Amino acid sequence: MTGVLDVDIREVAPRDGLQIEKPVSTAAKARLIAALVATGVRRIEATAFVSPRAVPAMADASEVAELLSQWPDVEFSALVASPGGARRAVAAGITRVEYVVSASDTHSQANARRSTAEALAQTAEVADTVHGAGGLLEVIVAMAWDCPFEGRTPVARTVDLLGRAHTLGADSLCLGDTIGTATPVRVGALVGAAVEAVPGVPLGAHFHDTYGSGLASAWAAYQAGVRRLDASAGGLGGCPFAPGASGNIATEELVHLFEDGGLSTGIDLDACVVAAEVAADVVGHAVPSRLLRAVRARS
Amino acid sequence: MTGVLDVDIREVAPRDGLQIEKPVSTAAKARLIAALVATGVRRIEATAFVSPRAVPAMADASEVAELLSQWPDVEFSALVASPGGARRAVAAGITRVEYVVSASDTHSQANARRSTAEALAQTAEVADTVHGAGGLLEVIVAMAWDCPFEGRTPVARTVDLLGRAHTLGADSLCLGDTIGTATPVRVGALVGAAVEAVPGVPLGAHFHDTYGSGLASAWAAYQAGVRRLDASAGGLGGCPFAPGASGNIATEELVHLFEDGGLSTGIDLDACVVAAEVAADVVGHAVPSRLLRAVRARS
C-alpha cells in the first residue's frame, strides 16, 4: 500500500462491470469486492448512486457502501449522474465521487435527460456536496472520443469540457471511451491536448474493448501522460452479446501488460486471476479476459 | 494494389491460423484464401511445407500452392522448417519463403530436432534454393521475446540471430512472439535494437494474443519502426482452449486500429469481417475476434 506506482489502476468491476448485468446480491458484490481488495489495487469504484429504475443492478448502492469500512486501506468511490446522487453518496459515507458529463448532447439526453451544458452546470453543485463532506470529485467525460449517435467527438469539445469541469470544482478528470472505439493515434491526440489544457490535474482514462484495441489504447494513453487507468476484473462490463455493450479492458491483462514491462501497478497478478474467476462466478457467465482463458488452459 | 501503405499486413490465417486445427479440405482453404484476397491484403502466407506427420493440417501444401496462380496480384508465401521444405516449396511454384529459426535451443530441438545454431546454419542452403528460383527469403526468429521452456530470450541473442540470418541470405526478417507473451515495453526495446542492428532490412513482427496484449504489442512495434505485421482473420490460430496455444492477433482488429487512426493498410474492413466469418465457418468453431463479435451484435 506504499510507494509510488508507475500506473494507478482503478478497479471498476463492481460498478461498470455489473451495471448492465442481471442484478446480483449484495453478498455476491461483497465477495467480489473482497477478491478485488486482495489484489492490492488501491482504488475501487464500488457502486453507483443512480436511478434504481434505470440501473436496477445498482439499487443496493447504500448497502454496498455500508460494507466498505471493513477495508480501510482502499479508496472506494461511487459514480453519480446528478446532484441528488451525490447527496445520497455522501449520506452513505462515500467521499470519492465520480460524476459523469457526456460530451455528446444526444447521449446526455438519452442517458441523463439533460444536455451536456446542463449536466456540466450541475458540476458545481455536485462538487459542493462532495467537498462539503470532505471528499474529492472526479468528472468523467463520457463519449470523449466517439458517440454512437453523433460520431466522432471533436478533440476541442472534450478538452473544453475538461477545463470547465475543473473550473467548476472537479479535483480530477477522466476521459471515457464509453463505447470502446478509441484507437492509439486518436488516444494520443486527445490525451496530449488534455494534458496541455489542464496541467497538473490528475487525469485518468477509461477504455472498453469493443474492437480489440482497448489495451493498445490504454498503452497509448500511458505514453501520452495518463497515469490513472480504469479496468474491470475479467473484462466484465456489458454482455459481449448485447448490441452496443462490451466489456471494460480486463484488469489482469492491463496489470500483465505493465508489470511485464517493469512498470509497477501495486497489483498482484495471481490475485487478479482469482478475482476474475470470482467475477465470472458472480455474473454466472464467461468473461472476455484472454489472460484468464490462457491461465485456465495451462492448469 | 498501388500506393505506399503505412502498414503492410501479411495475412497468415491459411497457415498459422489453420496449422493446429483439425485438417480442413483444400477446397475450404481455397474459399478462405478467396475471402482474404477480397480484403485487398497484399501478402498472404498460404501454407507450410513441413512434415505432414507433425502438421497434418498442412499436408496439402502442394495442392494449395497450385491454386494460387488465380490471384496474380497477391504475394503468396509459404513457411518452411528445413532446406527440404524449401525445395518442395519452390518446386510447387512458391517464390516467397519464410524459414523459421528459433531463438531457443530447447524449442528448436522440440520443434525441428536441431539446435538454434544448426537451424541457423541451414539458412544459407534455404536461401540458395529460394534465390535459385528467383524468390525471396524471410527468416522468422521464433521465440524472439520469450520461450515457454527457457523463459525470456535475451535481446542480444535475438538481435544476433537477425544479423546472422541476414548475412546468410535472408532478404527480410521477422520477430516472432510465438507464444503471445510480449508486451509493449519489451517490444519497443527489441524492435529498437533490431532496427539498429540490421538497418535497411525489411523487418516484420508476428504477435499472438495469449494475454490480451497482442494489439498493444503490434502498436508498440509500429511505433518502434516496424511496418510489416502478421495477423490472422478472426484471430484464428491455436484453439483458445488448448494449453499453450492461442490465436494470432486478428486482422480485422489490426486493420481497424490503424485505419481508425488514419494509417493506411490497403485493406477493406468490411471485407475483413466477411473473411473472419469464413474463417470461423471453415474451422467450425468460434474465433477470438472481439471486433467480429461486436459487428455481429450490431446486426
Side-chain angles (χ1 to χ4, degrees):
Chain A
M1 291 301 303
T2 56
V4 175
L5 303 176
D6 291 310
V7 196
D8 182 4
I9 293 175
R10 176 167 61 195
E11 172 61 53
V12 300
R15 198 281 300 174
D16 205 4
L18 293 179
Q19 74 177 8
I20 77 148
E21 297 285 338
K22 199 154 52 93
V24 304
S25 71
T26 309
K29 291 180 182 183
R31 201 176 134 231
L32 174 59
I33 293 169
L36 297 171
V37 170
T39 67
V41 71
R42 298 184 186 185
R43 297 188 295 137
I44 298 177
E45 190 181 57
T47 186
F49 289 86
V50 292
S51 159
R53 276 186 310 278
V55 190
M58 296 292 117
D60 63 348
S62 295
E63 288 83 346
V64 171
E66 266 177 39
L67 299 168
L68 305 177
S69 60
Q70 66 188 289
W71 300 293
D73 292 335
V74 175
E75 183 184 305
F76 290 103
S77 64
L79 184 134
V80 306
S82 69
R87 285 191 292 273
R88 287 171 53 217
V90 301
I94 297 282
T95 57
R96 297 289 187 278
V97 170
E98 284 97 45
Y99 175 58
V100 178
V101 175
S102 177
S104 152
D105 267 322
T106 315
H107 172 251
S108 187
Q109 291 286 1
N111 192 52
R113 289 194 212 118
R114 61 185 75 100
S115 68
T116 298
E118 287 162 345
L120 182 69
Q122 292 183 313
T123 301
E125 189 181 344
V126 172
D128 282 350
T129 300
V130 175
H131 293 157
L136 292 170
L137 173 66
E138 175 160 309
V139 168
I140 300 175
V141 176
M143 306 295 172
W145 281 274
D146 298 293
C147 167
F149 309 112
E150 299 189 2
R152 287 198 179 182
T153 307
V155 168
R157 179 171 173 88
T158 299
V159 168
D160 179 62
L161 284 171
L162 294 175
R164 287 172 191 271
H166 180 54
T167 303
L168 289 167
D171 303 288
S172 62
L173 300 163
C174 184
L175 296 164
D177 176 27
T178 316
I179 55 170
T181 53
T183 49
V185 171
R186 296 197 294 125
V187 168
L190 178 54
V191 169
V195 167
E196 260 189 46
V198 284
V201 182
L203 177 69
H206 176 106
F207 295 104
H208 287 251
D209 202 15
T210 312
Y211 295 123
S213 50
L215 261 81
S217 291
W219 174 245
Y222 174 82
Q223 289 184 297
V226 161
R227 292 294 176 271
R228 294 156 65 94
L229 288 165
D230 287 357
S232 171
L236 206 65
C239 169
F241 304 100
S246 75
N248 290 86
I249 54 174
T251 310
E252 59 278 12
E253 292 182 353
L254 195 64
V255 167
H256 175 262
L257 185 153
F258 283 109
E259 293 279 345
D260 183 72
L263 298 167
S264 63
T265 63
I267 297 176
D268 180 72
L269 185 57
D270 291 339
C272 262
V273 170
V274 173
E277 294 279 13
V278 172
D281 191 56
V282 160
V283 297
H285 60 71
V287 291
S289 172
R290 292 172 196 221
L291 188 145
L292 181 61
R293 205 181 301 146
V295 169
R296 279 176 175 168
R298 265 211 318 260
S299 59
Chain B
M1 291 301 303
T2 55
V4 176
L5 304 175
D6 291 310
V7 195
D8 182 2
I9 293 175
R10 176 168 61 195
E11 172 62 53
V12 300
R15 199 279 303 173
D16 205 4
L18 294 180
Q19 73 177 8
I20 77 147
E21 298 284 339
K22 199 154 51 93
V24 304
S25 71
T26 308
K29 292 181 181 182
R31 199 174 136 234
L32 174 59
I33 293 170
L36 297 171
V37 169
T39 68
V41 72
R42 298 183 186 185
R43 298 186 295 137
I44 299 177
E45 190 180 59
T47 187
F49 289 85
V50 291
S51 159
R53 276 185 312 278
V55 191
M58 297 290 119
D60 63 349
S62 295
E63 289 83 346
V64 171
E66 266 177 39
L67 299 167
L68 304 177
S69 59
Q70 65 189 292
W71 300 292
D73 293 336
V74 174
E75 183 185 305
F76 290 103
S77 64
L79 184 134
V80 306
S82 69
R87 284 190 291 274
R88 288 170 53 214
V90 301
I94 297 283
T95 57
R96 297 290 187 276
V97 170
E98 284 97 45
Y99 175 58
V100 178
V101 175
S102 177
S104 152
D105 267 321
T106 315
H107 172 251
S108 187
Q109 291 286 2
N111 192 53
R113 289 192 212 120
R114 61 186 75 100
S115 69
T116 298
E118 287 162 347
L120 182 69
Q122 291 182 314
T123 301
E125 188 179 345
V126 172
D128 282 349
T129 300
V130 174
H131 293 156
L136 293 170
L137 173 65
E138 175 160 310
V139 168
I140 301 175
V141 176
M143 308 293 173
W145 281 275
D146 298 293
C147 167
F149 309 112
E150 300 189 2
R152 288 199 178 180
T153 308
V155 168
R157 179 172 173 88
T158 299
V159 168
D160 178 64
L161 285 171
L162 294 175
R164 287 172 192 270
H166 180 55
T167 303
L168 290 166
D171 303 289
S172 61
L173 299 163
C174 185
L175 295 164
D177 176 27
T178 315
I179 54 169
T181 52
T183 49
V185 171
R186 295 197 294 126
V187 169
L190 178 54
V191 169
V195 166
E196 260 189 47
V198 283
V201 181
L203 176 69
H206 174 106
F207 296 104
H208 287 252
D209 202 15
T210 313
Y211 296 122
S213 50
L215 262 82
S217 291
W219 173 246
Y222 174 82
Q223 288 183 296
V226 160
R227 292 295 176 269
R228 296 156 64 95
L229 287 165
D230 288 357
S232 171
L236 206 66
C239 168
F241 304 101
S246 76
N248 289 85
I249 54 174
T251 309
E252 59 279 11
E253 293 183 352
L254 195 64
V255 167
H256 174 262
L257 185 154
F258 283 109
E259 293 281 344
D260 183 73
L263 298 167
S264 64
T265 63
I267 298 176
D268 181 73
L269 185 57
D270 290 339
C272 263
V273 169
V274 173
E277 294 278 13
V278 172
D281 191 55
V282 160
V283 297
H285 60 71
V287 291
S289 172
R290 292 170 197 225
L291 189 145
L292 182 60
R293 205 181 301 145
V295 169
R296 279 176 175 169
R298 266 210 319 261
S299 59

